Amino acid sequence: MNLLTLFAIGRERRPDKTAIEFKDTRGPLGAQELTFSGLQREVERWAAAFVRMGVQKGDRVGLYLCNRPEFVIAYLAALEVGAIMVPINLRYRRRELSHILNDAEPALLIIEDEHWPVLDEIVGIEIGPGLTVLSVDRSESWLEEADGKEWTSASRPLTRGEETALIMYTSGTTGASKGAVLTHNHVLATVTGLLSAWAWQADDVLLLPLPLFHTHGLVVGLHCALAMGATVRLRTGFDATETVKTLSSGAATLFFAVPTIYTRLVDFLAEAEEVPSFASMRLFCSGSAPLPAEIHNAFERLTGKRILERYGMTETGMNFSNPYAGPRVAGTVGTPLPGVFARIVDAAGQDLPAGEEGELLLRGSNVFDEYWRAPQKTAESFVRDELGNRWFLTGDLARMDPLSGYVTLLGRRHELIISGGLNIYPREVEEMLTTFPGIEEAAVVGEPDAEWGEAPVAYLVCSCEIDEVDLERYCRGQLASYKLPRRLRFVGALPRNAMGKVQKHLLPRGDVE
């Protein structure tokens, strides 16, 4: 089985049902709607054009696009011809684009007109020959040349489940981004697991503002909807007013977002004269970054809906989830999804008992096998146990509750602060700091210290002036003294990537006001 055969099941249920309802929250692209049968007709038209351009099975097709129907069409058309899709973060510019295009070596790159200036800087200079670049804003001109060339499911090359469907590049916070090679089977494992775990239904409608170049929007959102035959209300980005209107009007049943979006929704609803009802909504889901417990609880107070937190990675798809039917514990990511195996180990790789803190290791049919053209990095990312099982080193520190089995993520291994020989987990300190009135956001990092080796330093985004004496007194009543920030730095904003994750390596060093 491959992804197209899975998607065909959803399409065959109700071919005339709306598959994609699109609205550009920015304005220029307007609105558009495609039924499942209409979407497939466009996919076949694009597939014929790709073949005419010389795209062959195994070639890479890069998509440097915002959320729009053409992204979905181009992706499915690439799968139709047996090609491998490479989604590219829209925030990437010359250095990052040059790296990905040279590393993945796509035969075809599809962009929007507004991105030509970025491409002009590198194509022909830093990128070798053999790359065809097309704009979706001029698609009719190159699609017309392929019209009349019939493409049907019988035209598809044989694509097995173990063959590559996607190369998804990591965010590259600790170096050049790496391409995680994801086969059809890897993605199928995540999708089929989520369809069951979250009780997806054919009548579901997903409001999706998350970027399709990221696994959260693409795999968790779009793939699941296509597989179930559910409708996606695709948006170019998040707009609080439009989101609340859609979710409260009965026009959606599912909403997937990142913590930053939930924070904005809480602020928006807290200022509203009257909080609308979200009676039609059966699932609010959060992921891609830690959701502060106070936002989780505030959202429930305002809406009566309890957010479901889960945990996934580019390299693995989805791994853990709080239960759909069962207690959802703020600050935890729940238990492993179907087919996912997990261990928490110490620095020597030995299993730790529940309740102790260590690195999280994963294996399962959802876990990727390799990084693209990076055998050394691949070898460094896996270990084998005494039975020969291959485990992925996530780099995430975690703890499992001895009673519930729920897992709490404590932060990245490389972000662990060791001060005077004692471990400090930044997330614990950050969550404590944001409970102090006036502190909107916090990021805690370790910086060199002559006495302790490392000392925790807090970068704070505040809505008002903070009395540091009061803050220190408050902190001392919350946590052990060795965990408390030695220095405070007040900043206007925390640097984040497209999915809302704080980029701690970009924090300004030194005192900033």
Side-chain angles (χ1 to χ4, degrees), residues 2-8 11 19-20 34-36 38-48 50 61 63 69-85 110 151 156-157 159 165-166 184 218 222-223 225-227:
N2 61 37
L3 288 169
L4 290 178
T5 54
L6 177 67
F7 297 155
R11 183 174 68 248
I20 304 292
L34 285 168
T35 64
F36 279 95
L39 173 61
Q40 183 61 21
R41 285 193 296 272
E42 285 299 301
V43 168
E44 292 171 1
R45 188 181 179 211
W46 283 53
F50 285 1
V61 174
L63 300 186
E70 292 89 346
F71 189 116
V72 182
I73 295 166
Y75 169 44
L76 296 178
L79 295 182
E80 283 276 350
V81 303
I84 299 166
M85 199 267 273
I110 302 178
W151 179 275
R156 294 178 193 156
T159 301
L166 294 161
H184 288 257
L218 182 67
L222 178 67
H223 281 69
L226 290 175

Side-chain angles (χ1 to χ4, degrees), residues 174-229:
T174 58
S177 57
K178 306 174 293 295
V181 178
L182 301 174
T183 67
H184 288 257
N185 282 340
H186 291 141
V187 182
L188 282 165
T190 283
V191 173
T192 54
L194 290 180
L195 292 180
S196 172
W198 295 349
W200 275 81
Q201 304 163 20
D203 288 333
D204 273 326
V205 179
L206 170 66
L207 179 62
L208 186 62
L210 298 173
L212 292 176
F213 58 69
H214 190 274
T215 190
H216 195 166
L218 182 67
V219 176
V220 181
L222 178 67
H223 281 69
C224 286
L226 290 175
M228 182 51 65

Side-chain angles (χ1 to χ4, degrees), residues 385-399:
D385 62 22
E386 63 277 6
L387 299 177
N389 295 312
R390 193 168 180 250
W391 294 85
F392 175 54
L393 301 163
T394 66
D396 285 317
L397 299 171
R399 177 181 60 245

Side-chain angles (χ1 to χ4, degrees), residues 330-372:
T332 78
V333 294
T335 58
L337 286 161
V340 178
F341 301 87
R343 300 165 59 198
I344 296 176
V345 303
D346 61 20
Q350 299 300 307
D351 288 305
L352 291 168
E356 294 197 19
E357 301 160 350
E359 182 176 1
L360 180 63
L361 275 58
L362 297 169
R363 70 178 179 90
S365 52
N366 60 310
V367 178
F368 82 134
D369 295 318
E370 62 178 334
Y371 289 110
W372 176 257

Side-chain angles (χ1 to χ4, degrees), residues 374-438:
Q376 181 176 347
K377 184 60 183 176
T378 299
E380 294 169 352
S381 301
F382 289 89
V383 295
R384 291 192 182 275
D385 62 22
E386 63 277 6
L387 299 177
N389 295 312
R390 193 168 180 250
W391 294 85
F392 175 54
L393 301 163
T394 66
D396 285 317
L397 299 171
R399 177 181 60 245
M400 179 184 290
D401 184 272
L403 297 178
S404 67
Y406 284 25
V407 166
T408 298
L409 298 179
L410 304 170
R412 297 292 290 167
R413 182 179 58 190
H414 68 269
E415 293 176 355
L416 175 68
I417 302 167
I418 303 177
S419 183
L422 298 173
N423 290 351
I424 300 171
Y425 298 95
R427 181 180 175 184
E428 180 184 24
V429 185
E430 291 160 359
E431 291 200 347
M432 180 274 294
L433 287 167
T434 55
T435 62
F436 187 81

